[in-house]
Structure formats: structure tokens, C-alpha cells
Amino acid sequence: MTKEKRTRQQKIQAIHEEIVAYLDGELDVEQTQRVEDRLTRRPDYQRRFQQMQQAWDMLDSLPEAQVDESFSTSTLEMVAVAAEEKWQQVQTSAAGRARRTRLFGMGLTLASAAAGFLLAFCWGPRANDGWLRDLPVIENVDLYLHADNLDFLQTLHQEAIFAEEEASHVG
Amino acid sequence: MSVSESTALKYEQRDPDVRLMLRVRDDDAVAFEELVLRHQSRLIAILEHLVGSRHQAEDLAQDVFLRVYRARKRYLPEAKFSTWLYTIANNVARNSHRTRTRRPEVHLAARDSRGLPQNPLEQLAAASSGQLPTRQLDKFETVEIVQQAVQSLNERQRMAVLLAKFEEMSYSEIATIMDMSPQAIKSLLSRARNKLREILEPYLQHGELPTREAE
């Protein structure tokens, strides 16, 4: 396409846009005045304007859609069914959420109880603590009954002076 | 998207459909029924021109109304109700077009709401058998030619033309619906209307029937 032809086509396109925008009431006062001036002065512009308008007016011959009552009835029924399904979905979802909340609550209670028990077990005061603390004394209570000084007995033990007697006693 | 209170109030005061839709938002079933009744004919007519089948247009229109109902809680009066309605319709029609191009369907000869054949050949046959008066045939012929001209437009041109013609929407409103700029709509409508002129002009001037484009 030559440059001249392209320029001419662009010019025609601009004229069409202007006429259509005028017919659609989309021009401002100044542009409207310009179109109306051209319409009075230029027969070719006027002819194209009329052709555009006539073609546009022909669309009025298209028949209006005749819609019977069954369309609106079935549309409303369809929407009602969709609304019902949505409501049931919400209800099911709410019930599921409530069940999950209950289970979570029960789980949390059990976990809290277990944690409490463990805490009490590890760090809490116990009835046997005194016995455990005194266990070394209890285990050596016979020795304490016979000797005032335990260090002296341990020294004897380390030197293995009575090792043979101990062995025969155990055996 | 946030809508200022003044904008919402403006549309609520000016547009009775916005007031109805706000009642639908509050679960008013009667308001929804009224909206359906007010818009069903025009919506079906536009969808029929877009998809070329009355039956499919009704299915799509029901889909549009269902989407309106489902979206009711999110509705904000940021424009005229019809702008919102046709934005949904445009999306539904486009999705349907994509599906149809993937899965072509066979159209059976349809009859209009008066029980008359829509196919021009059937109409001619009916006329020759004396079932239709000549004046009615002229009308059918005009309708057929205009329908043919509209169908020759591409989908976007057709939508813009139908909204401008039958919904009397501004370029700005059509731009919102079709997610384009008003300037792009201006060019689109100009090309579309010039194409209509080219097709209809020979018929208007000399009664010449336009030649069918390859389908």
C-alpha cells in the first residue's frame, strides 16, 4: 500500500469516526458545530452521513425477543435451587466446623492433662523424695549402727583388709 | 474496588435497577424476579445476535442471571445496573464462544416465537405456498438481510453495536463492559457501522441482496 493510499484511508476512517460519534452524541460543542458545518457545505459528506444513519436505522427492523413466562419461571427456579444448594453447603460446612471445634477442644483438654501430669511428675514434690534423699544412709544403716565414723570404715574397705571375709559372707 | 459513598448514592438515586439490585443484595426474592422480568427480553435479544441461536441465548441469559444472584453480596453500585449486567453477559458470551470454537455444534432450522420459520429459504417456500402475505415476506427479507449484516461483524464489533443501538449506552459504558478504552470503542464502532453501511447500502439504494460471506 502506497503512503498516499494509506493517508487517504486514514482520512476516510477519521471522517467515519466523526460521523458515528456525532450520531451517537459523543462530540463536544465545537466538534458538533464542525460536523454540522460540513453537512451544509459538502454533499459527499452529507451523503455518507445519510448512508450511515440509514444503515443504523435499519437495525430497528430486528425483531424484539418475545420471552414467554416459562423463561422467568425456570430462571427463578434455577436460582432457588442454587440458593438451596449453597445454604446446605454452608450448613454442612458449619456442622463440620463445629465437629472439628469439639474434637479440637477434647484434644486440647487431653493434651493439657498430660502436660500437667508430666510437669507434676518431673518437678513437683513427691512423697518418696525424703526416702530417696536418705537412701545412702538407709543402705548403710547397719554400718552406722556399729561405727561412729564412716570415713574410717571406707578407708578400711579401700585397703581391702577384710576383703576375704566379705567375699565369704557374700558367697 | 472501593466506591465512594457519593457515587453509590448517585446511582442509587438515578437508576431504579440499582435500587432493585440493592434489595436483591439483602436477599429480596421479589426484587430479583422484577430484575429478571425487566431485563430478560433485551438480554436474550443481544445474546441471540451474539451467539446466533435462540435456545443457546436463553441458556446463557439464565447463566447471566444466576451469576448476578451469586454475586449479589459483592454488588457495589459503581455504575448503572445495566453496565454491570452486560459486563457479566459479555464474559459469559465470550466463554461460550471459546467453548463453541473448541466444540462446534450443529444448528437445526429454528422457528421464531410466532412459529414462523427463521430460515429465509423456508420463508420463501412458505410464501410460495401462500402461507405468508407478500408484505410480510418483504419484512422478513429486511430482517434477514439486517441479521446477515450484523452476523458479518466480528464478535467485539457486534457486542459494541448491540449495546450502542439497543441499550443506548455511551462509549464510556461500552468501554467498561468490554474492558477497552473509550477511544478504542469509538474506532471499533466506526469500523462496525461502516461495514454495516457497506452491506446494507446496495439493498437500501437498489434492493440488491448482499452476497453471503464465506462462513
Side-chain angles (χ1 to χ4, degrees):
Chain A
M1 191 188 288
T2 61
K3 191 181 172 188
E4 196 178 314
K5 200 174 173 185
R6 197 163 48 240
T7 310
R8 185 177 148 70
Q9 276 194 346
Q10 283 170 348
K11 203 174 167 185
I12 292 171
Q13 173 67 20
I15 288 171
H16 287 160
E17 279 189 19
E18 188 178 64
I19 291 173
V20 168
Y22 175 81
L23 289 170
D24 288 339
E26 293 276 346
L27 297 182
D28 60 29
V29 177
E30 195 182 324
Q31 291 166 323
T32 303
Q33 188 61 50
R34 200 164 56 223
V35 171
E36 287 171 354
D37 284 348
R38 283 178 184 154
L39 281 171
T40 53
R41 284 188 292 105
R42 289 171 49 184
D44 58 331
Y45 191 88
Q46 193 181 35
R47 193 170 55 250
R48 183 54 54 92
F49 178 89
Q50 282 171 347
Q51 289 172 347
M52 287 285 206
Q53 193 166 27
Q54 281 176 336
W56 192 240
D57 290 344
M58 272 191 85
L59 295 187
D60 289 327
S61 65
L62 288 171
E64 280 184 24
Q66 301 295 319
V67 184
D68 57 34
E69 205 178 306
S70 66
F71 175 80
S72 55
T73 308
S74 63
T75 303
L76 295 172
E77 280 172 2
M78 193 177 73
V79 167
V81 168
E84 172 72 19
E85 282 173 1
K86 179 75 180 171
W87 186 81
Q88 281 180 352
Q89 210 174 15
V90 169
Q91 290 295 104
T92 311
S93 161
R97 220 174 18 250
R99 195 170 56 247
R100 279 197 299 278
T101 307
R102 266 201 312 276
L103 285 173
F104 179 74
M106 283 165 65
L108 196 66
T109 308
L110 284 173
S112 302
F117 175 78
L118 279 172
L119 279 172
F121 184 78
C122 294
W123 287 289
R126 282 172 295 181
N128 293 334
D129 276 1
W131 291 102
L132 285 172
R133 195 172 50 249
D134 294 337
L135 187 62
V137 178
I138 294 165
E139 283 176 342
N140 297 305
V141 69
D142 291 340
L143 295 176
Y144 281 114
L145 286 173
H146 292 97
D148 293 333
N149 192 338
L150 194 61
D151 291 337
F152 173 70
L153 288 175
Q154 282 171 343
T155 306
L156 288 178
H157 177 70
Q158 281 164 5
E159 288 175 4
I161 294 170
F162 303 105
E164 282 179 17
E165 281 183 27
E166 276 181 16
S168 64
H169 184 71
V170 171
Chain B
M1 190 186 290
S2 63
V3 182
S4 72
E5 274 185 33
S6 60
T7 306
L9 196 63
K10 184 182 82 179
Y11 284 111
E12 190 178 343
Q13 284 170 345
R14 284 185 188 173
D15 189 350
D17 290 335
V18 165
R19 292 197 289 276
L20 280 173
M21 190 59 213
L22 289 171
R23 282 169 53 196
V24 173
R25 192 173 69 179
D26 297 335
D27 296 322
D28 184 337
V30 176
F32 182 71
E33 184 177 1
E34 203 173 327
L35 268 182
V36 171
L37 292 171
R38 282 166 72 97
H39 288 274
Q40 60 184 8
S41 299
R42 279 162 21 209
L43 180 62
I44 290 173
I46 287 186
L47 288 169
E48 188 176 355
H49 290 306
L50 279 177
V51 299
S53 149
R54 172 59 185 257
H55 179 72
Q56 201 178 0
E58 287 192 2
D59 285 350
L60 293 182
Q62 284 192 327
D63 193 11
V64 171
F65 285 123
L66 185 60
R67 282 166 194 250
V68 165
Y69 185 79
R70 281 182 175 154
R72 70 192 184 286
K73 295 292 179 189
R74 299 191 298 275
Y75 175 72
L76 294 169
E78 57 194 358
K80 276 161 56 181
F81 172 76
S82 57
T83 307
W84 188 59
L85 179 73
Y86 286 101
T87 304
I88 296 173
N90 185 46
N91 289 334
V92 167
R94 274 170 53 194
N95 291 342
S96 160
H97 178 73
R98 277 193 216 109
T99 312
R100 274 182 292 134
T101 48
R102 280 200 297 268
R103 192 186 56 219
E105 68 181 50
V106 177
H107 289 278
L108 298 173
R111 285 179 179 265
D112 71 8
S113 56
R114 292 152 298 183
L116 297 171
Q118 289 181 346
N119 183 321
L121 291 176
E122 283 183 32
Q123 286 167 10
L124 285 168
S128 64
S129 68
Q131 288 174 17
L132 294 175
T134 315
R135 199 167 55 80
Q136 215 174 4
L137 177 66
D138 292 343
K139 195 183 167 194
F140 287 136
E141 189 183 74
T142 307
V143 170
E144 165 64 17
I145 287 161
V146 174
Q147 279 177 337
Q148 201 177 318
V150 170
Q151 290 303 316
S152 74
L153 303 174
N154 68 38
E155 200 188 358
R156 286 198 310 177
Q157 288 176 336
R158 219 178 308 153
M159 187 65 174
V161 162
L162 294 168
L163 291 174
K165 180 68 187 175
F166 298 112
E167 292 300 316
E168 296 176 346
M169 285 185 172
S170 67
Y171 291 178
S172 165
E173 287 167 331
I174 299 171
T176 304
I177 288 170
M178 298 181 68
D179 197 18
M180 293 168 76
S181 69
Q183 184 54 42
I185 293 297
K186 188 179 179 183
S187 299
L188 186 74
L189 273 172
S190 165
R191 285 195 299 276
R193 286 168 71 161
N194 191 45
K195 193 169 182 182
L196 289 175
R197 180 193 64 81
E198 284 172 352
I199 295 169
L200 297 173
E201 180 58 21
Y203 179 74
L204 277 167
Q205 294 300 316
H206 315 291
E208 289 172 20
L209 296 177
T211 51
R212 265 185 189 278
E213 287 183 10
E215 289 173 6

mmCIF file of all heavy atoms in Angstrom, chain A residues 148-156 158:
data_model
loop_
_atom_site.group_PDB
_atom_site.id
_atom_site.type_symbol
_atom_site.label_atom_id
_atom_site.label_comp_id
_atom_site.label_asym_id
_atom_site.label_seq_id
_atom_site.Cartn_x
_atom_site.Cartn_y
_atom_site.Cartn_z
ATOM 1 N N ASP A 148 30.965 -45.115 114.474
ATOM 2 C CA ASP A 148 30.596 -43.694 114.533
ATOM 3 C C ASP A 148 31.138 -42.955 113.327
ATOM 4 O O ASP A 148 30.545 -42.001 112.864
ATOM 5 C CB ASP A 148 31.196 -43.050 115.795
ATOM 6 C CG ASP A 148 30.519 -43.644 117.034
ATOM 7 O OD1 ASP A 148 29.349 -44.066 116.883
ATOM 8 O OD2 ASP A 148 31.147 -43.687 118.083
ATOM 9 N N ASN A 149 32.277 -43.475 112.810
ATOM 10 C CA ASN A 149 32.942 -42.745 111.735
ATOM 11 C C ASN A 149 32.934 -43.561 110.438
ATOM 12 O O ASN A 149 33.636 -44.573 110.329
ATOM 13 C CB ASN A 149 34.391 -42.433 112.159
ATOM 14 C CG ASN A 149 35.018 -41.434 111.202
ATOM 15 O OD1 ASN A 149 34.569 -41.310 110.067
ATOM 16 N ND2 ASN A 149 36.037 -40.732 111.664
ATOM 17 N N LEU A 150 32.156 -43.107 109.493
ATOM 18 C CA LEU A 150 32.007 -43.842 108.222
ATOM 19 C C LEU A 150 33.277 -43.743 107.371
ATOM 20 O O LEU A 150 33.643 -44.692 106.673
ATOM 21 C CB LEU A 150 30.815 -43.254 107.433
ATOM 22 C CG LEU A 150 30.312 -44.104 106.270
ATOM 23 C CD1 LEU A 150 29.819 -45.473 106.754
ATOM 24 C CD2 LEU A 150 29.191 -43.407 105.526
ATOM 25 N N ASP A 151 33.957 -42.604 107.455
ATOM 26 C CA ASP A 151 35.192 -42.412 106.672
ATOM 27 C C ASP A 151 36.238 -43.464 107.064
ATOM 28 O O ASP A 151 36.953 -44.006 106.224
ATOM 29 C CB ASP A 151 35.772 -41.011 106.917
ATOM 30 C CG ASP A 151 34.868 -39.944 106.306
ATOM 31 O OD1 ASP A 151 34.090 -40.294 105.355
ATOM 32 O OD2 ASP A 151 34.902 -38.793 106.772
ATOM 33 N N PHE A 152 36.280 -43.772 108.332
ATOM 34 C CA PHE A 152 37.224 -44.788 108.813
ATOM 35 C C PHE A 152 36.905 -46.151 108.198
ATOM 36 O O PHE A 152 37.792 -46.848 107.710
ATOM 37 C CB PHE A 152 37.157 -44.845 110.356
ATOM 38 C CG PHE A 152 37.955 -45.977 110.946
ATOM 39 C CD1 PHE A 152 39.360 -45.961 110.926
ATOM 40 C CD2 PHE A 152 37.316 -47.096 111.504
ATOM 41 C CE1 PHE A 152 40.082 -47.026 111.450
ATOM 42 C CE2 PHE A 152 38.057 -48.145 112.023
ATOM 43 C CZ PHE A 152 39.449 -48.120 112.001
ATOM 44 N N LEU A 153 35.596 -46.491 108.134
ATOM 45 C CA LEU A 153 35.185 -47.776 107.552
ATOM 46 C C LEU A 153 35.510 -47.836 106.055
ATOM 47 O O LEU A 153 35.952 -48.859 105.537
ATOM 48 C CB LEU A 153 33.685 -47.992 107.736
ATOM 49 C CG LEU A 153 33.224 -48.293 109.169
ATOM 50 C CD1 LEU A 153 31.722 -48.369 109.224
ATOM 51 C CD2 LEU A 153 33.847 -49.615 109.675
ATOM 52 N N GLN A 154 35.291 -46.718 105.370
ATOM 53 C CA GLN A 154 35.590 -46.684 103.928
ATOM 54 C C GLN A 154 37.092 -46.846 103.688
ATOM 55 O O GLN A 154 37.506 -47.491 102.713
ATOM 56 C CB GLN A 154 35.095 -45.372 103.300
ATOM 57 C CG GLN A 154 33.578 -45.424 103.068
ATOM 58 C CD GLN A 154 33.008 -44.090 102.657
ATOM 59 O OE1 GLN A 154 33.661 -43.059 102.851
ATOM 60 N NE2 GLN A 154 31.793 -44.128 102.139
ATOM 61 N N THR A 155 37.889 -46.278 104.534
ATOM 62 C CA THR A 155 39.347 -46.421 104.419
ATOM 63 C C THR A 155 39.730 -47.892 104.575
ATOM 64 O O THR A 155 40.532 -48.429 103.789
ATOM 65 C CB THR A 155 40.060 -45.573 105.489
ATOM 66 O OG1 THR A 155 39.587 -44.241 105.366
ATOM 67 C CG2 THR A 155 41.566 -45.605 105.318
ATOM 68 N N LEU A 156 39.087 -48.549 105.537
ATOM 69 C CA LEU A 156 39.337 -49.983 105.734
ATOM 70 C C LEU A 156 38.928 -50.760 104.475
ATOM 71 O O LEU A 156 39.631 -51.665 104.027
ATOM 72 C CB LEU A 156 38.546 -50.504 106.938
ATOM 73 C CG LEU A 156 39.029 -50.073 108.326
ATOM 74 C CD1 LEU A 156 38.096 -50.642 109.410
ATOM 75 C CD2 LEU A 156 40.472 -50.564 108.585
ATOM 76 N N GLN A 158 38.734 -49.662 101.373
ATOM 77 C CA GLN A 158 39.649 -49.396 100.250
ATOM 78 C C GLN A 158 40.949 -50.170 100.426
ATOM 79 O O GLN A 158 41.565 -50.617 99.452
ATOM 80 C CB GLN A 158 39.924 -47.884 100.155
ATOM 81 C CG GLN A 158 38.784 -47.131 99.475
ATOM 82 C CD GLN A 158 38.868 -45.632 99.713
ATOM 83 O OE1 GLN A 158 39.849 -45.137 100.319
ATOM 84 N NE2 GLN A 158 37.846 -44.926 99.294
#
